[in-house]
C-alpha cells in the first residue's frame, strides 16, 4: 500500500515536472517572437510551478517578471544596474551578456598561455595589490575576421565568472555624433559601478574614423575620452578590446592596453582539434580527415566551424551517401583547388568514396569541367 502510494507520488512528481518542462518551449518561442505578453504569462506560471522544488530559481524568475511590470531594469536581479542609454534616443548603449558555459577557444599554445597568464593574474589580484604591483586589467585581441576574438572574450568572461557588457563602437557609440564622448563616459561609469568586463568590439572604428577629414574634431575628442577613461578604470574592472584592423588603431589607445594578443588562422594541429570538435561523433568514422585538415590551411576557425556544420547537415539529410563524399563536396564549396595536383587528388578521392559516381557527378561536386575530370581520372601518377 505504502509502496504503491510512493509510486503514485513519484508519478505525480514526474507529471508535474513534465507540465513544467512543457512551458520552456513556449517561453523560448515567445522570446524569439518578441511576444512580451506571452513571455510574461509563461514566466509567472513557470515561477509558480518551480516554487516548491527550486525556490531560488522560482524567486529569480518572479523577481524578473515583477521588475519588468514596474518598468524596472530586468538585469536588477543579477545585481547589474540599469544599462546606460543615449540621452536623446534612449537607445541602450551596451548589451549585457550573462556568462554561460563556453568551451575553450582552440588557439595556438602561445595564445592559450597568454590567456591563462591573464586569468592567473586576475586570480592573484589581492597578492599583487599587497605587493604594490598593479595587476593587468586590459587586453587587446587582434587578428583577421573569424579567428575567435569575440568568442574568446565570452570565454574569458566565463572563466573569470564576471558579467560582460559589449559595446560595438562601429554601430552604436560613433553613430551618435556630438554625444559620443558623453556616451563613452556613461559606458565606463557603468562598468566601474558594476565591476564588470567591458568589451569594446571593433575598437578600430574610432581610429578609422579619425582619418575622416569631415569629422576630425569629434573623433579626436572621442579618442581622448577613451584614453582618459581607460586610465581611470580601476583594476576591479576589465577592458577587452578587439580589432580586425590593428594597423588602423590609434597608437596611444594601443599602448593603453596591458597586453595585446594576436590571434592567427589555425595551424594544422588547431585545425585538427576544430574538426574533431566540430564533426563530433562523425570525426572518427571519416577517412578523409587528413585531406580536410590539409585543404583548410587558409580557412579561419569560424570557416572550419561553419564547414563542419554544413557537413553534419548533409550527413543527416543524406543518410545513405558516403560521409567522406559529402564532406569533400562541402569542402569544395568553401575552398578552391588551385594546383592541378590538388584537382587530380580530389577527383580520385571522390571516385574512391563513391565508386559508381559519374564524371558529371564529380564535375558538379568539385566545380571542374567534365572533360578535365575525365582526364584527371586517367592520370597514372596519382597515388
Ligand atoms: N579559435 C576558435 N576556437 C573555436 N571556435 C572558434 C574559434 N574562432 C572562431 N570560432 C567559432 O567561429 C565563430 C565566430 O568567431 P568570432 O569569435 O566571432 O570571430 P572574430 O570575432 O575573430 O571575427 C565563434 O562563435 C565560434 O563558434
Ligand atoms: Mg568579432
Amino acid at each position: 500500500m505504502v509502496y504503491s502510494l510512493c509510486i503514485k507520488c513519484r508519478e505525480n512528481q514526474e507529471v508535474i515536472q513534465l507540465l513544467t518542462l512543457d512551458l520552456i518551449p513556449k517561453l523560448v518561442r515567445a522570446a524569439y517572437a518578441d511576444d512580451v505578453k506571452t513571455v510574461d504569462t509563461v514566466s509567472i506560471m513557470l515561477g509558480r510551478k518551480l516554487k516548491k522544488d527550486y525556490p531560488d530559481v522560482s524567486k529569480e524568475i518572479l523577481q524578473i517578471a515583477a521588475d519588468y511590470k514596474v518598468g524596472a531594469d530586468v538585469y536588477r536581479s543579477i545585481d547589474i544596474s540599469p544599462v546606460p542609454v543615449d540621452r536623446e534616443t534612449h537607445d541602450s548603449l551596451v548589451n549585457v551578456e550573462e556568462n554561460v558555459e563556453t568551451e575553450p577557444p582552440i588557439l595556438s599554445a602561445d595564445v592559450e598561455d597568454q590567456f591563462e597568464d591573464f586569468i592567473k593574474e586576475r586570480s592573484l589580484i589581492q597578492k599583487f595589490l599587497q605587493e604594490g604591483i598593479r595587476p593587468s586589467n586590459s587586453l587587446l585581441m587582434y587578428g583577421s575576421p573569424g579567428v575567435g576574438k569575440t568568442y574568446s572574450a565570452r570565454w574569458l568572461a566565463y572563466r573569470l565568472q564576471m558579467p560582460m557588457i559589449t559595446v560595438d563602437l562601429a554601430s552604436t557609440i560613433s553613430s551618435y555624433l556630438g554625444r559620443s564622448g558623453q556616451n563613452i563616459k556613461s559606458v565606463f561609469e557603468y562598468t566601474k559601478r558594476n565591476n564588470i568586463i567591458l568589451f569594446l568590439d571593433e575598437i578600430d572604428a574610432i581610429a578609422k574614423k579619425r582619418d575622416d577629414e569631415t569629422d576630425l574634431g569629434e573623433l579626436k575628442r572621442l579618442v581622448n575620452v577613451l584614453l582618459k577613461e581607460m586610465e581611470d578604470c580601476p583594476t576591479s574592472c576589465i577592458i577587452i578590446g578587439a580589432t580586425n584592423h590593428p594597423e588602423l588603431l590609434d597608437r596611444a589607445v594601443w599602448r593603453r592596453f596591458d597586453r595585446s594578443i594576436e590571434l592567427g588562422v589555425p595551424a594544422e594541429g588547431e585545425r585538427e582539434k576544430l574538426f574533431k570538435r566540430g564533426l563530433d561523433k562523425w570525426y572518427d568514422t571519416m577517412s578523409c580527415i587528413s585531406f580536410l585538415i590539409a585543404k583548410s590551411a587558409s580557412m579561419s576557425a569560424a570557416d572550419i566551424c561553419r564547414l563542419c556544420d554544413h557537413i553534419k547537415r548533409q550527413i543527416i539529410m543524406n543518410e545513405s551517401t558516403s560521409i567522406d563524399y559529402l564532406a569533400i563536396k562541402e569542402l569544395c564549396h568553401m575552398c578552391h583547388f588551385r594546383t592541378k595536383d590538388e584537382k587530380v587528388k580530389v577527383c580520385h578521392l571522390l571516385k574512391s568514396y563513391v565508386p559508381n559516381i559519374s564524371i558529371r557527378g564529380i564535375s558538379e561536386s568539385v566545380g571542374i569541367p567534365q572533360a578535365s575530370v575525365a582526364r584527371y581520372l586517367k592520370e597514372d601518377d596519382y597515388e
Side-chain angles (χ1 to χ4, degrees), residues 343-361:
K343 292 177 188 170
V344 172
K345 173 140 193 176
V346 77
C347 291
H348 278 271
L349 272 179
L350 288 178
K351 182 85 188 153
S352 72
Y353 295 133
V354 186
N356 57 355
I357 193 171
S358 65
I359 295 209
R360 186 165 157 214

Side-chain angles (χ1 to χ4, degrees), residues 173-188:
I173 299 289
S174 50
S175 61
Y176 303 109
L177 284 179
R179 303 190 298 284
S180 326
Q182 181 51 50
N183 284 345
I184 283 274
K185 278 187 199 159
S186 317
V187 169
F188 271 88

Side-chain angles (χ1 to χ4, degrees), residues 90-129:
H90 299 289
D91 291 343
S92 144
L93 298 170
V94 299
N95 283 323
V96 179
E97 301 204 8
E98 291 189 57
N99 54 58
V100 285
E101 188 169 353
T102 307
E103 281 199 275
I106 293 167
L107 301 161
S108 69
D110 173 48
V111 172
E112 281 179 4
D113 286 349
Q114 295 192 59
F115 279 141
E116 287 301 334
D117 260 10
F118 184 76
I119 294 167
K120 188 163 182 193
E121 258 192 61
R122 298 298 305 177
S123 72
L124 297 172
I125 199 162
Q126 289 307 332
K127 223 170 174 175
F128 273 86
L129 294 172

